[in-house]
């Protein structure tokens, strides 16, 4: 049985087939080292002809392992670990752990290595993650904003806001801790199409709730506030959800933390909307 995971027709078989080719793995390695590259930059960094790189990128995009963003006339390519997280979340527990060690290692490699300080491209989103969910834009919007949904896939986290541009956004942790700050606001709100807001404040209460060491919290708190943006695009019976998280300082400590959290969070959200169930929730 072929299990579909994207609106492009990508299946689990497609993901593994895409990863089976050495050249395509080299392209993913290149994007893992420096995300947001153009076709020209990818060709320059690898001993491959432009036509070959284009063909391999098409396969990776078809498997949803690479997602793209247009910036002016340039097409930027981003590593998208969401399919790996989805495979791990939904099906890895059905098999003996020893048989899937290679997949687990790959998942860690894709998620855990932050971008080197001197390779974060200026004016480009640091992270662009894409997934396809069998739901409606209206239901997905509710899942992003309604406490009845967020607490189930985001480790008990809920939001308090009227979701209008410029309005305050309060993060409420599972233990009832309220995270409020004048700079925590909704930036854009176009129901069922786009939502953007500033990231939360790293308070002592947040650190205590998630067992974050004091020195780590202090390092996070010195950085400028980042921004999370959600784009929803209806595609037949599915909705394409693209999450961009950007606005980090060079050498950001926060960047490494959110890079691990988003793929898992997307998998939890997808599972909730498609099956009505989630595994253990996450928050960051």
């Amino acid at each position: 049985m072929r299990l579909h995971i994207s609106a492009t027709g990508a299946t689990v078989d497609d993901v593994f087939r895409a990863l089976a080719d050495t050249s395509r793995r080299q392209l993913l390695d290149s994007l893992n080292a420096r995300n947001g590259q153009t076709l020209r930059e990818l060709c320059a960094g690898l001993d491959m002809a432009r036509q070959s790189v284009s063909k391999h990128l098409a396969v990776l995009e078809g498997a949803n392992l690479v997602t793209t963003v247009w910036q002016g006339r340039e097409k930027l390519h981003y590593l998208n670990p969401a399919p790996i997280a989805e495979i791990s979340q939904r099906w890895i527990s059905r098999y003996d752990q020893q048989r899937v060690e290679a997949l687990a290692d790959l998942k860690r490699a894709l998620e855990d290595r932050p971008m080197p300080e001197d390779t974060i491209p200026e004016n480009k989103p640091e992270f662009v993650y894409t997934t396809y969910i069998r739901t409606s834009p209206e239901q997905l919007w509710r899942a992003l904003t309604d406490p009845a949904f967020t607490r189930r896939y985001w480790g008990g986290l809920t939001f308090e806001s009227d979701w209008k541009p410029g309005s305050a956004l309060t993060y409420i942790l599972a233990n009832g801790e309220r995270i409020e700050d004048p700079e925590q606001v909704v930036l854009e709100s176009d129901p069922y199409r786009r939502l953007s807001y500033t990231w939360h404040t790293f308070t002592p209460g947040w650190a205590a709730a998630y067992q974050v060491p004091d020195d780590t919290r202090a390092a996070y708190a010195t950085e400028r506030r980042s921004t999370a943006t959600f784009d929803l695009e209806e595609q037949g019976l599915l909705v394409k959800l693209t999450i961009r998280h950007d606005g980090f300082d060079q050498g950001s400590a926060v960047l490494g933390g959110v890079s691990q959290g988003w793929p898992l969070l997307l998998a939890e959200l997808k599972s909730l909307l498609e099956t009505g169930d989630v595994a253990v929730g996450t928050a960051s």
Side-chain angles (χ1 to χ4, degrees):
M1 181 175 70
R2 291 166 66 83
L3 301 171
H4 287 268
I5 61 175
S6 89
T8 60
T11 66
V12 174
D13 291 342
D14 294 327
V15 173
F16 282 107
R17 191 177 297 114
L19 293 171
D21 185 271
T22 301
S23 296
R24 288 195 283 273
R25 292 198 300 271
Q26 287 179 329
L27 283 169
L28 292 178
D29 284 340
S30 179
L31 291 175
N32 192 34
R34 184 166 68 88
N35 237 342
Q37 294 187 61
T38 63
L39 176 60
R40 175 180 51 79
E41 290 171 327
L42 286 167
C43 291
L46 300 169
D47 187 20
M48 276 189 260
R50 183 184 182 92
Q51 186 177 14
S52 296
V53 173
S54 294
K55 289 182 178 179
H56 286 309
L57 285 173
V59 173
L60 292 169
E61 286 188 61
N64 202 27
L65 288 166
V66 166
T67 191
T68 59
V69 173
W70 283 95
Q71 184 177 59
R73 299 177 125 186
E74 290 190 319
K75 186 179 183 181
L76 309 179
H77 299 81
Y78 287 83
L79 174 66
N80 184 40
I84 301 299
E86 290 167 12
I87 291 171
S88 176
Q89 282 295 102
R90 288 194 173 193
W91 299 296
I92 203 169
S93 61
R94 298 185 185 182
Y95 301 94
D96 181 76
Q97 184 63 33
Q98 292 181 346
R99 297 182 182 180
V100 293
E101 261 185 20
L103 178 61
D105 289 343
L106 175 61
K107 179 175 181 289
R108 283 191 293 271
L110 291 177
E111 294 178 11
D112 291 352
R113 189 171 69 189
M115 195 181 300
E117 178 178 351
D118 60 354
T119 60
I120 298 176
E122 293 184 3
N123 302 318
K124 296 180 182 178
E126 280 85 351
F127 286 105
V128 181
Y129 293 150
T130 301
T131 190
Y132 295 82
I133 304 176
R134 189 172 294 276
T135 188
S136 66
E138 294 80 7
Q139 191 75 343
L140 180 51
W141 182 270
R142 285 191 62 200
L144 294 173
T145 59
D146 191 329
F149 284 84
T150 63
R151 67 166 53 96
R152 294 190 61 192
Y153 69 88
W154 212 325
L157 179 74
T158 60
F159 300 104
E160 186 178 284
S161 179
D162 63 11
W163 300 108
K164 295 178 181 178
S167 292
L169 176 61
T170 300
Y171 290 69
I172 306 174
L173 308 184
N175 64 2
E177 176 85 17
R178 296 173 64 87
I179 302 179
E180 300 173 285
D181 190 279
E183 294 185 8
Q184 268 180 212
V185 296
V186 178
L187 298 174
E188 295 182 68
S189 183
D190 184 358
Y192 320 133
R193 296 181 61 185
R194 167 173 278 207
L195 178 66
S196 181
Y197 52 77
T198 55
W199 206 233
H200 66 77
T201 307
F202 299 104
T203 64
W206 167 83
Y210 295 109
Q211 300 180 329
V212 177
D214 288 340
D215 57 344
T216 300
R217 187 206 68 80
Y220 284 1
T222 63
E223 297 186 20
R224 63 173 170 168
R225 194 179 300 272
S226 57
T227 299
T229 301
F230 306 79
D231 285 307
L232 291 65
E233 181 182 344
E234 187 171 11
Q235 297 191 352
L237 297 177
L238 302 116
V239 179
K240 177 182 178 183
L241 174 63
T242 301
I243 298 180
R244 304 187 192 193
H245 199 150
D246 48 20
F248 298 100
D249 288 334
Q250 291 287 318
S252 170
V254 177
L255 182 149
V258 299
S259 70
Q260 298 176 46
W262 276 126
L264 181 57
L265 189 71
L266 280 173
E268 297 279 16
L269 172 59
K270 179 180 174 72
S271 180
L272 174 63
L273 288 175
E274 293 188 344
T275 71
D277 196 14
V278 294
V280 178
T282 61
S284 62

